[in-house]
Amino acid sequence: MAAATSSSSNSLLSALDRDPRTDLRLGRARIQFGGRSGKRLCTTTIKCVHEGEEHARRSGRTSDVNRREFVLGSIGGGAAATLPVAGALANPVELGSFSSCSPAELPPGATPVNCCPPPNSSPIVDFQYNTRLPSRLRRPAHLLRPDEIARYNRAYQLMRALPASDPRRFSQQANVHCAYCNDSFRQANSRSELQIHDSWLFLPWHRWYLYFHERILGKLLGDDTFALPFWNWDNQAAGSPLANVIPSAYLNQAPLIDSLRNQQHLPPRLVDLNYSGQDSGPIPPDSTQRAENNALMFQQIVSGARTPSLFFGQAYRAGDANAPGGGTLENAPHGTVHVWTGSAAAPNREDMGTLYSAARDPIFFAHHGNIDRLWVVWKTLPGGRRRDPTDTDWLDAKFLFYDENSQLVRVRVRDALTTEQLGYSYQDTGDAWASARPTIVAGARNLVSNAAVDSPAKLRIGKKEEEEDDEEEEVLVIQGVEIDCDRATKFDVYINLPGADENTSCNVAEYAGTFVNVPHFGDRRGGPGHMRTTDLRLGISDTLDQLGIKDARNIVVTLVPRGVGRLDPIKFKGFKIEYE
């Protein structure tokens, strides 16, 4: 077993040999430091930062901040962990009642609001399908006809005009997201908070949320055929009207307008699906932005999401610490579009750019309509194991929502596995990104030297030597990523591209995926600063094949921080390779 060593050349090298009989072992891999007075914190991307310099930078005594700094905390011992397996006893997450709701912790500068829903006046009932309802077709927002826009506009006028205590009122509907996302609820029979982001609950919870929101709007209109539109931002077609800009309905209709949007991102500005969190430098040509968007979609939905755990996120069971790790779709484009839309001038990027206020913008529901549609599309793509999880702890997770009659309803994940179950479908708009594999290989294909890597330093990971089964997915796990929940955070991951920096495109074959944190101010477990620890899991089999290095003994992993959060060190525990 090799060691990761901080050398005089300010480099970091970790050659983690792999036992072919088991998952990657980190047992004796370690960071070797000097004596107490010369102890150094080594970064994985640029250089080692002396502990004294780091302390001075954290205390504001220096302005010399490395823009690409990632602090490597430690590489722990023991065999690699795998996705938790359910035991003999069922252990699904459940929200038993709204009585467990406590005030959401809001960020500085936020207007005080009680996100807890009104108490129910009648007993909770279990969800039942209404087979008498007509089917509903959700259409792309940019293609809505004038009469459809007028009906949509009228529905929100009626929703906003409901009494303040009505759970169907628009402000109450927005607060549902705040309560579930900012840890206002506790799990049934547990002191653990309930969080529906950063885990396998993300997609089904939001499907149910949109379902009831849509049914309420239809009830107010007296129209059971009413369907929410979706924001088709993944569609990069150059024709008119454009799909990948903020749709005009959300700019010209008073009930659908939100003043807290990024004013630099109004049409004709194209959505940046790999948005870093800040606007710097010239706006790229539309053709470049479209190519970048297609590349991001291909990596996050096609290449890097070939198994259920990669796409949906990590298992989250009753009593677990929340936010074990989100799936590829949740990280981006979901997270990046949230931050791109929110106002850069607002204290916390309200409304869309932070979770407590995101659903105050009506475009939230169109955004998540497209996220829901992509769940449908993902299951139709070739290659890999693209199917819903079969774990009963996922299928039997339970949530509560008010329906169109103000009745509190208990729902289960298993009752929303298909849109057909819930009576709606999506208009087909084509998915050109599904075949938009990047063809540019920006760097060397095979970096297998065992010599020390000079600055900029990278982490070298040993790989399994024997041939893998074609159906087995190789997964890069970035362990113990420590982030401040309150801050927008993003970093990108590249394979065998040591020169990657903040200017490197995602439209290259070496791009392996991204991590995105949309700020949320719950997570009381973290104490001051609301720090939490999570893992990022990236499927890399397809990337390695494309680079021609599937059988390479080592790969080099480069992490590149992006945007406003790039100035803050992001600590993590280490890397490992798993197979699933």
Side-chain angles (χ1 to χ4, degrees), residues 559-572:
L559 309 183
V560 179
R562 303 283 192 181
V564 292
R566 74 190 187 282
L567 302 180
D568 297 315
I570 300 174
K571 298 180 181 179
F572 62 100

Side-chain angles (χ1 to χ4, degrees), residues 161-173:
L162 291 172
S165 60
D166 193 319
R168 303 171 303 166
R169 182 182 170 93
F170 182 76
S171 59
Q172 294 283 6
Q173 288 286 294

Side-chain angles (χ1 to χ4, degrees), residues 35-54:
R36 191 173 187 84
S37 63
K39 186 175 180 181
R40 305 174 71 85
L41 299 174
C42 294
T43 70
T44 62
T45 56
I46 282 290
K47 63 181 182 180
C48 294
V49 181
H50 193 278
E51 188 176 46
E53 297 170 346
E54 171 70 5

Side-chain angles (χ1 to χ4, degrees), residues 3-7 11-12 30-43 48-51 71-75:
T5 306
S6 174
S7 69
S11 65
L12 176 65
R30 61 192 184 277
I31 304 297
Q32 296 178 338
F33 297 107
R36 191 173 187 84
S37 63
K39 186 175 180 181
R40 305 174 71 85
L41 299 174
C42 294
T43 70
C48 294
V49 181
H50 193 278
E51 188 176 46
V71 179
L72 181 63
S74 64
I75 299 181

Side-chain angles (χ1 to χ4, degrees), residues 237-510:
S240 180
L242 292 174
N244 58 334
V245 297
I246 294 178
S248 60
Y250 298 91
L251 300 171
N252 301 322
Q253 304 294 324
L256 303 177
I257 293 173
D258 189 309
S259 61
L260 294 179
R261 292 180 188 147
N262 193 319
Q263 297 302 298
Q264 297 183 63
H265 295 165
L266 301 180
R269 185 76 175 268
L270 302 184
V271 177
D272 181 357
L273 300 184
N274 200 33
Y275 184 57
S276 68
Q278 71 174 26
D279 296 285
S280 59
I283 299 173
D286 285 357
S287 58
T288 300
Q289 186 64 72
R290 291 189 176 99
E292 293 263 323
N293 287 345
N294 278 332
L296 183 283
M297 290 294 299
F298 181 86
Q299 181 59 41
Q300 297 296 104
I301 313 300
V302 182
S303 176
R306 289 154 45 105
T307 70
S309 70
L310 292 171
F311 183 72
F312 286 89
Q314 293 303 286
Y316 177 37
R317 309 181 195 279
D320 284 355
N322 61 31
T328 54
L329 177 60
E330 182 179 1
N331 272 300
H334 162 260
T336 46
V337 173
H338 264 287
V339 177
W340 183 89
T341 308
S343 172
N348 307 287
R349 301 194 79 103
E350 287 92 346
D351 278 330
M352 275 279 283
T354 184
L355 294 184
Y356 90 91
S357 60
R360 296 177 184 177
D361 188 337
I363 207 170
F364 169 96
F365 297 94
H367 171 46
H368 273 275
N370 205 34
I371 294 295
D372 184 65
R373 184 186 70 87
L374 291 172
W375 177 3
V376 177
V377 172
W378 175 78
K379 289 192 284 188
T380 69
L381 298 174
R385 301 187 296 279
R386 301 180 189 274
R387 53 181 176 265
D388 294 328
T390 57
D391 192 311
T392 56
D393 284 350
W394 183 72
L395 294 168
D396 291 330
K398 299 180 181 70
F399 316 114
L400 298 175
F401 293 96
Y402 280 108
D403 71 5
E404 65 270 29
N405 300 311
S406 300
Q407 169 66 54
L408 192 56
V409 178
R410 180 186 296 109
V411 301
R412 300 179 302 170
V413 167
R414 69 168 65 246
D415 294 326
L417 300 184
T418 69
T419 63
E420 289 77 15
Q421 285 177 287
L422 299 179
Y424 69 92
S425 60
Y426 288 98
Q427 180 174 324
D428 184 9
T429 60
D431 302 293
W433 48 262
S435 58
R437 179 188 297 278
T439 58
I440 300 170
V441 179
R445 286 180 175 269
N446 200 352
L447 303 176
V448 297
S449 170
N450 285 322
V453 180
D454 292 332
S455 179
K458 312 295 165 187
L459 192 67
R460 189 180 301 272
I461 298 181
K463 288 180 69 266
K464 196 173 180 179
E465 290 187 0
E466 69 270 20
E467 286 286 330
E468 296 298 327
D469 186 278
D470 286 342
E471 288 300 311
E472 190 172 43
E473 181 71 18
E474 187 162 350
V475 180
L476 170 65
V477 185
I478 302 175
Q479 301 169 280
V481 180
E482 183 180 299
I483 62 169
D484 187 338
C485 296
D486 300 359
R487 296 181 62 84
T489 303
K490 186 180 193 300
F491 63 84
D492 293 345
V493 182
Y494 295 86
I495 302 293
N496 277 21
L497 191 60
D501 60 22
E502 60 268 25
N503 297 312
T504 303
S505 169
C506 65
N507 190 20
V508 295
E510 291 91 345

Side-chain angles (χ1 to χ4, degrees), residues 51-65:
E51 188 176 46
E53 297 170 346
E54 171 70 5
H55 175 73
R57 190 192 63 74
R58 283 180 174 272
S59 60
R61 296 176 186 170
T62 176
S63 59
D64 182 18
V65 179

